Amino acid sequence: MKIVIVGGVGGGMSAAARARRLDESAEIVVLDRGEHVSYASCGLPYHVGGEIPDADDLLVQTPERLRAALNLDVRTRHDVVGLDNAARTLTVRTDDGESTVTYDALVLSPGARAVRPPIDGLDSPRVRTLRTVADATALRTRVDDGARRAVVLGGGFIGLEAAEALARRGLDVTVVELADHVLPPLEHETAALVTDELVRLGVTVRAGVAAAAVEPGTDTDVVVLADGTRAPADLVVLSTGVRPDTEVFARAGIETDRGAIVVDDHGRTSAEGVWAVGDATVSTDAVTGVRRPVALAGPANRAGRLVADDVLRPGRARPVPSTLGTAVVRVGDLTAATTGANRESLTAAGIVFHTLHLHSGHHVGWFPGSEPVHLVVHFRADDGLLLGAQAVGRAGVDKRIDVLATALRAGMGAADLIDLDLAYSPQYGAAKDPVNLAGMAASNVLDGTLRIWHADELDEVRRDALVLDVRTRDEFAGGHVPGSLNVPHTELRDRLDEVRDAADGRPVRVLCGSGVRSHIAHRVLAQAGYDSASLSGGMLTLRAALGSRAADVLVADEPVPAA
């Protein structure tokens, strides 16, 4: 059998390597238009920032090594410009002209290309994407040559990695993001923590505004924003998203959906003998069922292996699983990670759900060095099915998201998280890990032991309810919701009459620092007959949700006396 694979890197090379391990006699040809067929694309920002000094360290494999180890015929600078599926031939363009390559089985892994929004001036030589090793070395050279100011267009994962790398090199960096916060897949309250860290690194964040133009200059460019702001730039990183690179195959009759190749659960396309993997394919979201491309290395690598299985072992291959979109990024001293669905996608899918916010330490508080893990967990309202999670913190974030991603893949309910038997030693965790605590809180919500309210309900709560702040007097004086009543939770049982008088028939909405003390207070109030609810995540989540508005909304003064 002659297997031809179009495109290398994650999906294509995984398919090629697996195919060779399954069939020593197959002829396996890999065609890639680029100079490098197997490189660490996720490491590109870190070469720009200097953490990976040598660009050659980004080259995972070379054609020579692949031929020696796996007997693969890897052809770089081979651009596939035509497909005739009936004849099972590809038209390939090289520096020497065009030629024809035949195949028995074809695997498409063309990847995606950077989106170029309709912004005047993007053809400036100071504007670069960050998709290839050549991109990374070009940006690194500009920094080494004295660039001092950079503008990053796009505040997604790659954009923030680029911004962090450039800030670490000492550049004055501005991030421009059209959405109302950086890292749009995150909830705004978790993304706010990332914004704070960017500011700490010296990065200027302009969210909720578009770039209108790039004005090229002799010595520097100027990025003009839609609000009239002008940001000088010695280099501009274009990171506004990607789109599937599939035009050649769509013209040949391969079925696509909004540019992405449609595949079944074994990676088969609409054409006989043709499979597809990676960023260029349509994936079905494991939680919401939404069909869209997912540009992540892990799913592409795994799909490549499974597609090779289906090519060579039809009927025996495992299906390609739907994706959870699990992703992680470092920004300064913070790690931010996500898995599964967020609020926006759940709402769009019509799924009724609960959301929990927790701020537990990544290990026990009595052992030195404990850092909070700011955790958000979504679960289905009717049966508690786990739907998604996000976390931000200085330590322990990746561990918790990986556990939660595993629980999502297993179809576990949020309450099942209570029962996970996770490793515990004081340096690493707690007897009640943050994941276990999330399960306990979810169980309480599902069985009615805990009733919660959310930060985005603050205006309504202030209008219709008594806000009861059960923090200490010093905490309250440092900043609180105007008009709230301060009764420390340790005094609540003896002061219920004061709460009743202050509420004057209204519901009572309780808050504390992180949601622990307010849960205790809620149980006291609920059992005393009050209409009570506890703020999810407490003041930590409220401040993050308010963001820059916190200074205007919250006040710092003496406690409001009880009526």
Side-chain angles (χ1 to χ4, degrees):
M1 175 180 282
K2 183 178 182 180
I3 303 171
V4 175
I5 299 169
V6 179
V9 196
M13 293 315 305
S14 291
R18 176 66 169 175
R20 173 56 71 221
R21 290 192 292 270
L22 295 180
D23 188 346
E24 184 63 24
S25 66
E27 180 185 358
I28 303 173
V29 179
V30 181
L31 306 172
D32 196 285
R33 68 157 62 108
E35 182 179 357
H36 306 293
V37 72
S38 181
Y39 63 90
S41 58
C42 298
L44 299 177
Y46 307 108
H47 176 59
V48 177
E51 291 180 83
I52 301 175
D54 191 341
D56 286 345
D57 291 337
L58 297 169
L59 304 181
V60 179
Q61 292 288 354
T62 65
E64 294 74 22
R65 292 203 298 262
L66 289 166
R67 179 177 291 279
L70 294 170
N71 191 27
L72 300 178
D73 180 1
V74 177
R75 307 174 190 179
T76 57
R77 301 182 185 276
H78 279 59
D79 188 11
V80 174
V81 295
L83 164 64
D84 183 339
N85 186 243
R88 299 209 173 192
T89 61
L90 294 165
T91 302
V92 182
R93 182 178 297 152
T94 68
D95 293 340
D96 298 325
E98 291 188 355
S99 60
T100 298
V101 175
T102 62
Y103 64 86
D104 297 311
L106 176 63
V107 178
L108 304 178
S109 181
R113 65 174 184 271
V115 171
R116 296 183 68 85
I119 299 173
D120 290 340
L122 288 185
D123 55 350
S124 166
R126 295 188 181 91
V127 178
R128 295 291 307 212
T129 57
L130 189 51
R131 298 281 298 164
T132 66
V133 176
D135 289 335
T137 55
L139 286 169
R140 172 80 178 264
T141 298
R142 288 180 187 170
V143 174
D144 292 343
D145 287 345
R148 305 311 307 154
R149 295 169 296 186
V151 174
V152 178
L153 301 181
F157 287 88
I158 301 300
L160 293 197
E161 288 172 346
E164 182 207 41
L166 294 168
R168 288 178 180 271
R169 292 292 303 273
L171 275 71
D172 180 2
V173 181
T174 298
V175 173
V176 180
E177 170 55 51
L178 181 60
D180 62 2
H181 60 77
V182 299
L183 294 180
L186 267 61
E187 312 299 356
H188 66 273
E189 63 269 28
T190 42
L193 304 175
V194 178
T195 296
D196 290 344
E197 182 67 3
L198 287 166
V199 172
R200 188 190 70 80
L201 292 173
V203 175
T204 299
V205 178
R206 296 301 314 277
V209 63
V214 177
E215 295 181 352
T218 303
D219 299 318
T220 189
D221 291 351
V222 174
V223 178
V224 182
L225 306 188
D227 63 2
T229 302
R230 299 173 64 84
D234 301 315
L235 61 88
V236 178
V237 180
L238 182 61
S239 184
T240 51
V242 296
R243 64 165 54 97
D245 193 1
T246 58
E247 285 84 352
V248 169
F249 311 110
R251 286 198 304 269
I254 301 288
E255 182 184 356
T256 60
D257 180 0
R258 288 165 292 177
I261 298 172
V262 176
V263 294
D264 68 7
D265 59 0
H266 287 283
R268 305 182 192 111
T269 73
S270 60
E272 182 69 25
V274 182
W275 289 255
V277 299
D279 301 358
T281 63
V282 173
S283 295
T284 300
D285 187 278
V287 175
T288 65
V290 171
R291 290 162 58 83
R292 56 185 170 81
V294 175
L296 291 171
N301 274 272
R302 295 189 293 274
R305 172 189 172 92
L306 294 172
V307 160
D309 285 355
D310 194 60
V311 171
L312 291 166
R313 294 178 174 177
R316 297 167 56 190
R318 294 172 54 246
V320 178
S322 54
T323 181
L324 292 168
T326 307
V328 63
V329 64
R330 184 193 73 189
V331 180
D333 292 338
L334 281 186
T335 299
T338 181
T339 188
N342 61 12
R343 271 198 301 261
E344 182 180 7
S345 60
L346 290 170
T347 301
I351 298 172
V352 181
F353 62 98
H354 293 297
T355 299
L356 288 174
H357 301 80
L358 300 97
H359 306 280
S360 307
H362 87 288
H363 62 55
V364 290
W366 48 262
F367 193 89
S370 180
E371 294 282 355
V373 176
H374 305 283
L375 184 63
V376 176
V377 177
H378 304 301
F379 54 98
R380 201 157 60 192
D382 57 356
D383 60 2
L385 181 70
L386 194 62
L387 299 172
Q390 302 174 8
V392 176
R394 284 177 163 75
V397 166
D398 54 338
K399 169 182 175 179
R400 272 71 193 198
I401 286 296
D402 281 347
V403 170
L404 289 163
T406 304
L408 274 164
R409 176 61 68 203
M412 294 174 63
D416 296 329
L417 301 175
I418 300 172
D419 303 324
L420 293 180
D421 194 356
L422 304 176
Y424 163 56
S425 182
Q427 308 94 323
Y428 301 107
K432 294 178 181 177
D433 189 87
V435 173
N436 299 132
L437 291 173
M440 294 174 188
S443 176
N444 286 337
V445 169
L446 290 166
D447 67 17
T449 302
L450 173 62
R451 183 182 175 196
I452 55 177
W453 64 283
H454 293 284
D456 60 5
E457 303 173 64
L458 179 62
D459 291 342
E460 176 186 346
V461 165
R462 289 183 62 194
R463 184 185 68 239
D464 299 333
L466 169 68
V467 178
L468 178 63
D469 191 324
V470 296
R471 296 176 297 159
T472 66
R473 292 173 176 81
D474 287 344
E475 288 176 290
F476 184 87
H480 59 268
V481 175
S484 58
L485 173 67
N486 180 216
V487 177
H489 78 290
T490 53
E491 302 174 14
L492 180 60
R493 292 179 179 86
D494 297 327
R495 298 175 61 183
L496 284 175
D497 288 343
E498 297 176 44
V499 175
R500 180 173 288 108
D501 291 342
D504 192 23
R506 295 175 295 165
V508 180
R509 297 296 177 256
V510 195
L511 66 83
C512 67
S514 65
V516 176
R517 289 170 288 176
S518 61
H519 172 50
I520 296 171
H522 164 69
R523 293 305 304 152
V524 172
L525 292 166
Q527 292 175 81
Y530 289 81
D531 177 351
S532 169
S534 171
L535 176 60
S536 181
M539 187 61 77
L540 283 171
T541 294
L542 179 59
R543 286 186 178 277
L546 291 172
S548 61
R549 295 177 54 224
D552 298 326
V553 174
L554 305 178
V555 296
D557 55 21
E558 294 301 316
V560 176

